[in-house]
Amino acid sequence: MLELYFAPGACSFVPHVALEAIKSATGEDFKPNLVKLHKGEHKTPEYLALNPNGQVPVLVVDGKPLNQIVAICDFLDRRYPKAGLLPTDPWARAQAMSQLAWMNNTVHPTFTRWFRTGYFAEGEAAQADVKKLAAAQFRQHLERIQEWSKAAAPFWFGARPSCHDAYAFTLLRWGGYTGIDPASLPAYKTYMDRLVQSPPVAAALERERIKLDTYKPG
Ligand SMILES: N[C@@H](CCC(=O)N[C@@H](CS)C(=O)NCC(=O)O)C(=O)O
């Protein structure tokens, strides 16, 4: 039995989509467990026993927790190869893991610097500097994803949506909060417009009640 601890709009959307893709390819279902971050549910002793980092996502497999998106995607791909979450050729797979690791260890923490600026600097001026630099770096990262997205046909690894597509969605959606208009990254936006119509992605979006609507002009 698979369970996913997730929070709407958070990076847990990545394994959420992977689990929906597995469900559609194999029929294997999962139990979604909503974690209310604004209520601190990820800091309770029960939750910290699942993930001592106090973060979503957590995948629970037969009662045992697994943390970290990169490890979760690798595990799900090995256990459910029919879902085609990652390439099978060793070199292509290593390249795919390299991209996923970069999204997780570089692009995602750049957004964290913008979103949780208080973790990184004290005082208004210092925080404004951190935010400004983080927003500019985040934009550069999204431009790199846009270049990669030009090969998506229709998705990152072909016909089925994967972890990479879901991370690309999450990062562009977060970009809206930093003032990045998705329309300013037209190839990326077109790819996302295709992605949200894919049934596994649509199911995860509906459960989380999110859309690519975070950018507010002006
Ligand atoms: N490297 C971690 C990142 C997880 C992470 O940053 N989760 C965020 C949501 S996107 C979180 O739970 N934040 C809660 C908090 O900072 O209080 C992973 O891959 O699981």
Side-chain angles (χ1 to χ4, degrees):
M1 180 61 192
L2 298 172
E3 287 180 59
L4 177 71
Y5 286 81
F6 76 101
C11 56
S12 44
F13 186 68
V14 177
H16 193 175
V17 166
L19 287 164
E20 286 291 351
I22 288 165
K23 186 158 86 176
S24 115
T26 70
E28 177 84 32
D29 209 350
F30 66 99
K31 180 170 179 271
N33 296 318
L34 177 69
V35 181
K36 292 181 182 149
L37 298 180
H38 61 282
K39 292 198 172 164
E41 289 179 359
H42 56 311
K43 303 291 182 194
T44 63
E46 295 75 23
Y47 192 84
L48 292 172
L50 292 174
N51 185 350
N53 303 315
Q55 292 177 325
V56 289
V58 176
L59 180 74
V60 177
V61 185
D62 302 328
K64 292 175 295 199
L66 179 62
N67 308 148
Q68 297 298 327
I69 289 168
V70 175
I72 293 171
C73 292
D74 178 66
F75 167 78
L76 289 174
D77 175 64
R78 289 176 195 272
R79 181 140 164 193
Y80 302 99
K82 262 179 79 180
L85 294 176
L86 289 167
T88 50
D89 168 76
W91 182 253
R93 185 185 171 93
Q95 291 295 338
M97 294 309 282
S98 166
Q99 291 172 324
L100 189 63
W102 175 76
M103 286 195 265
N104 187 248
N105 70 24
T106 302
V107 193
H108 182 157
T110 302
F111 178 72
T112 308
R113 288 210 308 279
W114 185 89
F115 188 60
R116 301 253 188 235
T117 314
Y119 292 175
F120 302 94
E122 283 181 335
E124 249 177 60
Q127 290 189 358
D129 267 357
V130 169
K131 250 190 187 335
K132 191 171 143 207
L133 284 172
Q137 287 164 7
F138 195 68
R139 164 103 207 170
Q140 285 174 1
H141 296 327
L142 294 191
E143 283 171 4
R144 188 189 296 182
I145 294 173
Q146 169 161 262
E147 285 312 303
W148 288 343
S149 79
K150 291 177 183 167
F155 308 132
W156 204 288
F157 298 122
R160 291 176 186 278
S162 181
C163 299
H164 292 59
D165 302 290
Y167 229 144
F169 176 87
T170 300
L171 296 169
L172 187 61
R173 185 174 170 277
W174 289 352
Y177 292 123
T178 74
I180 297 170
D181 181 354
S184 71
L185 295 160
Y188 197 160
K189 168 80 168 48
T190 303
Y191 155 57
M192 289 296 114
D193 290 343
R194 284 196 303 274
L195 182 73
V196 297
Q197 290 176 43
S198 152
V201 177
L205 289 169
E206 196 182 320
R207 184 174 293 109
E208 299 201 12
R209 296 185 189 172
I210 56 166
K211 290 184 188 163
L212 195 56
D213 62 356
T214 51
Y215 172 70
K216 307 282 178 246

mmCIF file of all heavy atoms in Angstrom, residues 10-11 37 42-43 54-57 68-69 104 108 116 119 174, ligand 1:
data_model
loop_
_atom_site.group_PDB
_atom_site.id
_atom_site.type_symbol
_atom_site.label_atom_id
_atom_site.label_comp_id
_atom_site.label_asym_id
_atom_site.label_seq_id
_atom_site.Cartn_x
_atom_site.Cartn_y
_atom_site.Cartn_z
ATOM 1 N N ALA A 10 2.703 22.594 -3.065
ATOM 2 C CA ALA A 10 4.097 22.375 -2.654
ATOM 3 C C ALA A 10 4.778 21.408 -3.622
ATOM 4 O O ALA A 10 4.159 20.872 -4.550
ATOM 5 C CB ALA A 10 4.142 21.840 -1.224
ATOM 6 N N CYS A 11 6.067 21.162 -3.356
ATOM 7 C CA CYS A 11 6.837 20.274 -4.235
ATOM 8 C C CYS A 11 6.346 18.828 -4.186
ATOM 9 O O CYS A 11 6.719 18.019 -5.045
ATOM 10 C CB CYS A 11 8.314 20.329 -3.860
ATOM 11 S SG CYS A 11 8.611 19.919 -2.132
ATOM 12 N N LEU A 37 0.340 22.778 6.092
ATOM 13 C CA LEU A 37 1.592 23.417 6.514
ATOM 14 C C LEU A 37 1.295 24.667 7.354
ATOM 15 O O LEU A 37 1.995 24.922 8.334
ATOM 16 C CB LEU A 37 2.443 23.809 5.295
ATOM 17 C CG LEU A 37 2.921 22.660 4.383
ATOM 18 C CD1 LEU A 37 3.747 23.205 3.222
ATOM 19 C CD2 LEU A 37 3.734 21.631 5.149
ATOM 20 N N HIS A 42 3.235 19.655 9.879
ATOM 21 C CA HIS A 42 4.494 18.978 9.518
ATOM 22 C C HIS A 42 5.544 19.093 10.615
ATOM 23 O O HIS A 42 6.666 18.650 10.450
ATOM 24 C CB HIS A 42 5.032 19.543 8.202
ATOM 25 C CG HIS A 42 5.233 21.040 8.213
ATOM 26 N ND1 HIS A 42 4.276 21.934 8.656
ATOM 27 C CD2 HIS A 42 6.291 21.808 7.846
ATOM 28 C CE1 HIS A 42 4.724 23.167 8.549
ATOM 29 N NE2 HIS A 42 5.952 23.115 8.064
ATOM 30 N N LYS A 43 5.173 19.706 11.737
ATOM 31 C CA LYS A 43 6.130 19.865 12.844
ATOM 32 C C LYS A 43 5.690 19.069 14.071
ATOM 33 O O LYS A 43 6.275 19.201 15.136
ATOM 34 C CB LYS A 43 6.280 21.358 13.221
ATOM 35 C CG LYS A 43 6.720 22.255 12.069
ATOM 36 C CD LYS A 43 8.156 22.010 11.610
ATOM 37 C CE LYS A 43 8.553 22.968 10.497
ATOM 38 N NZ LYS A 43 9.766 22.630 9.786
ATOM 39 N N GLY A 54 10.787 17.662 8.707
ATOM 40 C CA GLY A 54 9.566 18.452 8.834
ATOM 41 C C GLY A 54 9.138 19.034 7.504
ATOM 42 O O GLY A 54 8.806 20.220 7.403
ATOM 43 N N GLN A 55 9.146 18.207 6.461
ATOM 44 C CA GLN A 55 8.779 18.681 5.119
ATOM 45 C C GLN A 55 7.879 17.663 4.430
ATOM 46 O O GLN A 55 7.928 16.475 4.741
ATOM 47 C CB GLN A 55 10.049 18.843 4.257
ATOM 48 C CG GLN A 55 10.966 19.963 4.719
ATOM 49 C CD GLN A 55 12.239 20.037 3.880
ATOM 50 O OE1 GLN A 55 12.770 19.021 3.439
ATOM 51 N NE2 GLN A 55 12.731 21.247 3.674
ATOM 52 N N VAL A 56 7.112 18.159 3.474
ATOM 53 C CA VAL A 56 6.467 17.280 2.507
ATOM 54 C C VAL A 56 7.412 17.228 1.309
ATOM 55 O O VAL A 56 8.167 18.165 1.088
ATOM 56 C CB VAL A 56 5.074 17.807 2.081
ATOM 57 C CG1 VAL A 56 4.078 17.677 3.195
ATOM 58 C CG2 VAL A 56 5.129 19.246 1.559
ATOM 59 N N PRO A 57 7.396 16.179 0.503
ATOM 60 C CA PRO A 57 6.525 15.009 0.593
ATOM 61 C C PRO A 57 7.143 13.907 1.460
ATOM 62 O O PRO A 57 8.341 13.897 1.705
ATOM 63 C CB PRO A 57 6.480 14.521 -0.865
ATOM 64 C CG PRO A 57 7.864 14.860 -1.399
ATOM 65 C CD PRO A 57 8.242 16.151 -0.723
ATOM 66 N N GLN A 68 12.534 12.668 0.358
ATOM 67 C CA GLN A 68 13.326 13.271 -0.718
ATOM 68 C C GLN A 68 12.784 12.856 -2.087
ATOM 69 O O GLN A 68 12.735 11.675 -2.439
ATOM 70 C CB GLN A 68 14.830 12.945 -0.621
ATOM 71 C CG GLN A 68 15.490 13.485 0.635
ATOM 72 C CD GLN A 68 15.454 15.015 0.735
ATOM 73 O OE1 GLN A 68 15.508 15.715 -0.267
ATOM 74 N NE2 GLN A 68 15.363 15.530 1.945
ATOM 75 N N ILE A 69 12.401 13.892 -2.839
ATOM 76 C CA ILE A 69 11.761 13.698 -4.137
ATOM 77 C C ILE A 69 12.608 12.835 -5.080
ATOM 78 O O ILE A 69 12.073 11.954 -5.763
ATOM 79 C CB ILE A 69 11.488 15.087 -4.764
ATOM 80 C CG1 ILE A 69 10.364 15.776 -3.987
ATOM 81 C CG2 ILE A 69 11.157 14.986 -6.245
ATOM 82 C CD1 ILE A 69 10.174 17.235 -4.306
ATOM 83 N N ASN A 104 15.769 19.924 -7.867
ATOM 84 C CA ASN A 104 15.534 19.759 -6.425
ATOM 85 C C ASN A 104 16.577 20.480 -5.564
ATOM 86 O O ASN A 104 16.233 21.013 -4.504
ATOM 87 C CB ASN A 104 15.506 18.254 -6.119
ATOM 88 C CG ASN A 104 15.113 17.945 -4.692
ATOM 89 O OD1 ASN A 104 15.938 17.460 -3.923
ATOM 90 N ND2 ASN A 104 13.877 18.221 -4.321
ATOM 91 N N HIS A 108 14.776 24.730 -6.773
ATOM 92 C CA HIS A 108 13.845 24.746 -5.646
ATOM 93 C C HIS A 108 14.394 25.599 -4.473
ATOM 94 O O HIS A 108 13.702 26.515 -3.995
ATOM 95 C CB HIS A 108 13.596 23.275 -5.258
ATOM 96 C CG HIS A 108 12.636 23.046 -4.166
ATOM 97 N ND1 HIS A 108 11.975 21.852 -4.018
ATOM 98 C CD2 HIS A 108 12.226 23.809 -3.131
ATOM 99 C CE1 HIS A 108 11.198 21.923 -2.957
ATOM 100 N NE2 HIS A 108 11.344 23.089 -2.401
ATOM 101 N N ARG A 116 11.033 32.141 1.745
ATOM 102 C CA ARG A 116 11.310 32.098 3.186
ATOM 103 C C ARG A 116 12.553 32.935 3.480
ATOM 104 O O ARG A 116 13.528 32.442 4.059
ATOM 105 C CB ARG A 116 11.554 30.656 3.638
ATOM 106 C CG ARG A 116 10.383 29.716 3.375
ATOM 107 C CD ARG A 116 9.692 29.376 4.673
ATOM 108 N NE ARG A 116 8.686 28.348 4.481
ATOM 109 C CZ ARG A 116 7.421 28.505 4.834
ATOM 110 N NH1 ARG A 116 7.003 29.638 5.356
ATOM 111 N NH2 ARG A 116 6.560 27.521 4.677
ATOM 112 N N TYR A 119 14.710 33.041 6.665
ATOM 113 C CA TYR A 119 15.667 31.987 7.038
ATOM 114 C C TYR A 119 17.097 32.376 6.662
ATOM 115 O O TYR A 119 18.051 31.758 7.115
ATOM 116 C CB TYR A 119 15.376 30.666 6.302
ATOM 117 C CG TYR A 119 14.108 29.915 6.655
ATOM 118 C CD1 TYR A 119 13.748 28.775 5.939
ATOM 119 C CD2 TYR A 119 13.279 30.304 7.705
ATOM 120 C CE1 TYR A 119 12.599 28.056 6.231
ATOM 121 C CE2 TYR A 119 12.126 29.602 7.996
ATOM 122 C CZ TYR A 119 11.785 28.480 7.263
ATOM 123 O OH TYR A 119 10.643 27.769 7.552
ATOM 124 N N TRP A 174 5.358 28.595 -9.059
ATOM 125 C CA TRP A 174 6.011 29.391 -8.019
ATOM 126 C C TRP A 174 6.571 30.682 -8.609
ATOM 127 O O TRP A 174 6.562 31.723 -7.944
ATOM 128 C CB TRP A 174 7.142 28.604 -7.374
ATOM 129 C CG TRP A 174 6.709 27.455 -6.498
ATOM 130 C CD1 TRP A 174 5.435 27.136 -6.099
ATOM 131 C CD2 TRP A 174 7.566 26.461 -5.908
ATOM 132 N NE1 TRP A 174 5.452 26.012 -5.299
ATOM 133 C CE2 TRP A 174 6.746 25.573 -5.168
ATOM 134 C CE3 TRP A 174 8.940 26.232 -5.944
ATOM 135 C CZ2 TRP A 174 7.266 24.480 -4.460
ATOM 136 C CZ3 TRP A 174 9.455 25.145 -5.243
ATOM 137 C CH2 TRP A 174 8.623 24.280 -4.503
HETATM 138 N N1 LIG B 1 14.661 18.294 -0.754
HETATM 139 C C1 LIG B 1 13.350 18.114 -0.184
HETATM 140 C C2 LIG B 1 12.606 19.434 -0.284
HETATM 141 C C3 LIG B 1 11.261 19.357 0.435
HETATM 142 C C4 LIG B 1 10.701 20.752 0.691
HETATM 143 O O1 LIG B 1 11.376 21.791 0.545
HETATM 144 N N2 LIG B 1 9.407 20.782 1.087
HETATM 145 C C5 LIG B 1 8.756 22.034 1.428
HETATM 146 C C6 LIG B 1 7.522 22.266 0.562
HETATM 147 S S1 LIG B 1 7.956 22.559 -1.134
HETATM 148 C C7 LIG B 1 8.242 21.973 2.865
HETATM 149 O O2 LIG B 1 7.711 20.974 3.285
HETATM 150 N N3 LIG B 1 8.415 23.078 3.596
HETATM 151 C C8 LIG B 1 7.899 23.183 4.917
HETATM 152 C C9 LIG B 1 8.602 24.244 5.712
HETATM 153 O O3 LIG B 1 9.604 24.780 5.213
HETATM 154 O O4 LIG B 1 8.179 24.523 6.813
HETATM 155 C C10 LIG B 1 12.629 16.986 -0.918
HETATM 156 O O5 LIG B 1 13.008 16.659 -2.035
HETATM 157 O O6 LIG B 1 11.715 16.369 -0.338
#
